[in-house]
Each structure stands twice: as structure tokens, then as C-alpha cells.
Amino acid sequence: ETGVTQTPRHLVMGMTNKKSLKCEQHLGHNAMYWYKQSAKKPLELMFVYNFKEQTENNSVPSRFSPECPNSSHLFLHLHTLQPEDSALYLCASSQPGLAIETQYFGPGTRLLVL
Amino acid sequence: AQKITQTQPGMFVQEKEAVTLDCTYDTSDQSYGLFWYKQPSSGEMIFLIYQGSYDEQNATEGRYSLNFQKARKSANLVISASQLGDSAMYFCAMREGNTNAGKSTFGDGTTLTVKP
């Protein structure tokens, strides 16, 4: 596989469930990101990992818990979510230090919280 | 203050015609990068084109070109010879000079519809 992959592509969960989103990048990058995209709102950066270390937590509620076991994989663990957490969750990767540090995105996970 | 402003929520263009999507930005950094992404209904954000603040020439990438006017702080995307497959949401983004790991600020997006 190439690029950035995300699983699952669609997820429906209740407010008491626990689920995890997975992101994998095959680009050899060392930075990975989670973004939230709600309807009619701009893309919101949630977390940034740089060489497996979390370098940014954009005031995200603790019901979202990221995990980055290595530079190629990024998880977002979800528990006791709210209906307003329903959104498209996008993962991205980039290579720090390049002159043009482009972020490459995965296809996203569409999450519906009931 | 919003760092990236896209004033056109929606745009229509006839197939085979050119269209310009507006983007203005706000930064006090001298070094920054501007990006355009395309997001089809499938959800994936596709990188289109990049313009660096020190680049003297406007960036071009196939049918995409970036009309970079530094003094006006604008970075408009021009799509020539529109195709039906160009119908999508388009986002302008900026990465400022000292931002770690390529963190970018995104605009609200413009929905482009190409008419046959």
C-alpha cells in the first residue's frame, strides 16, 4: 500500500462505547497528525506527533486519547464520546525539515456518535 | 483574527473554462508556505500546489497555478480548463516559518461545482 491509510472508514458508536481509529503511513515520514472536520467548520488540528513524541495537544478533551507507537502508526482511542464529536477524522503525515513540508492526508474516518 | 480567509463558500464554473478561488492570509512571519488542497466527497484531502513566501515565480502544477501577490497577502488558486472531476471542496492552508512539524492553518474552504 502507498500513502496514508485509515481504518475504519466509517464508524457508528454509542456514547458508552470504546473504539479506536487507526492510521498508517507508508511514506517514511516522521510527523503525524490528527484533524477533526465537522460539518460547516474549518479543519481543526487535534494532535501532532513528531518522531513519536507528542508535540501538540490542541485543547482536546480527554475522551480522545492518541497513541503513536512508531513513526508509521497513529491511533486515536475514543471513549464516552458525545454526539457533537460526530465528524470526519483525518490523519496526515509529513517529513519535518524539508524545504516544502507538505502534509499528506488519509481518506478519513467518518464517525457518528449516537 | 482568522489567519486564512476564503471568502467564496461556493463557486460554479462551466466545464472547460478557468476559475479562480480566492485566498487571503495573515501573518507577521517573513518565512511561510501556502498550500492548496482538494477534498472530493470521498473525504481525502489531496495536495495540489505549494507556494513559498520567498518564491519569486508563481507556482504551477499542470492545470493548477497559484496567483501569489505577496503585498496583498493573497494566494489565489487558478484552475484552467475545468473538468467535471474538479468538483470538490478546496482548502487554502498556511504554514508559518517557525511552526514545528508542518502544522498548518486551514481556511473554511470553497465548494467548486463544475457544470457540464
Side-chain angles (χ1 to χ4, degrees):
Chain A
E1 291 200 63
T2 59
V4 182
T5 58
Q6 289 186 243
T7 54
R9 295 293 309 275
H10 301 270
L11 179 62
V12 180
M13 59 188 289
M15 289 190 284
T16 58
N17 292 157
K18 290 184 181 181
K19 296 287 183 183
S20 295
L21 309 185
K22 179 183 175 183
C23 175
E24 184 173 0
Q25 57 95 2
H26 309 269
L27 300 169
H29 290 165
N30 286 298
M32 296 188 78
Y33 313 75
W34 280 116
Y35 284 88
K36 175 183 178 183
Q37 187 178 27
S38 305
K40 300 182 180 180
K41 290 178 74 174
L43 218 59
E44 301 171 61
L45 179 66
M46 300 175 72
F47 302 104
V48 180
Y49 277 82
N50 198 5
F51 292 89
K52 300 188 297 178
E53 298 296 320
Q54 187 181 124
T55 55
E56 185 89 16
N57 177 338
N58 207 18
S59 302
V60 180
S62 59
R63 57 186 183 269
F64 295 91
S65 175
E67 179 190 0
C68 188
N70 55 61
S71 293
S72 299
H73 293 85
L74 185 65
F75 295 90
L76 187 63
H77 304 298
L78 316 171
H79 64 98
T80 59
L81 294 192
Q82 305 298 310
E84 60 264 29
D85 297 323
S86 299
L88 178 68
Y89 288 85
L90 289 163
C91 173
S93 72
S94 70
Q95 183 54 38
L98 292 181
I100 303 175
E101 193 180 333
T102 303
Q103 290 176 305
Y104 292 89
F105 285 81
T109 296
R110 291 193 184 275
L111 174 66
L112 177 62
V113 181
L114 301 176
Chain B
Q2 196 161 2
K3 290 196 171 185
I4 295 286
T5 302
Q6 294 180 252
T7 57
Q8 306 153 314
M11 288 282 285
F12 291 89
V13 65
Q14 206 66 37
E15 192 178 8
K16 299 181 185 177
E17 292 185 352
V19 64
T20 298
L21 307 184
D22 295 342
C23 173
T24 57
Y25 59 91
D26 183 28
T27 181
S28 56
D29 282 2
Q30 295 301 308
S31 175
Y32 52 90
L34 298 155
F35 302 80
W36 276 93
Y37 289 86
K38 172 185 178 181
Q39 187 179 39
S41 57
S42 59
E44 184 175 358
M45 298 277 278
I46 303 166
F47 166 69
L48 295 178
I49 196 167
Y50 168 84
Q51 180 84 42
S53 59
Y54 293 119
D55 294 342
E56 294 183 353
Q57 292 193 335
N58 287 343
T60 60
E61 200 69 51
R63 293 187 299 110
Y64 304 109
S65 61
L66 205 152
N67 184 1
F68 181 46
Q69 298 188 42
K70 195 169 182 177
R72 293 186 177 184
K73 294 188 175 178
S74 75
N76 298 339
L77 176 70
V78 180
I79 305 175
S80 62
S82 297
Q83 302 172 356
L84 296 178
D86 293 334
S87 294
M89 191 99 169
Y90 289 81
F91 290 92
C92 179
M94 175 176 64
R95 176 173 60 82
E96 292 168 281
N98 294 323
T99 304
N100 292 330
K103 187 177 73 171
S104 298
T105 304
F106 285 77
D108 291 353
T110 295
T111 301
L112 177 66
T113 303
V114 180
K115 296 180 178 180

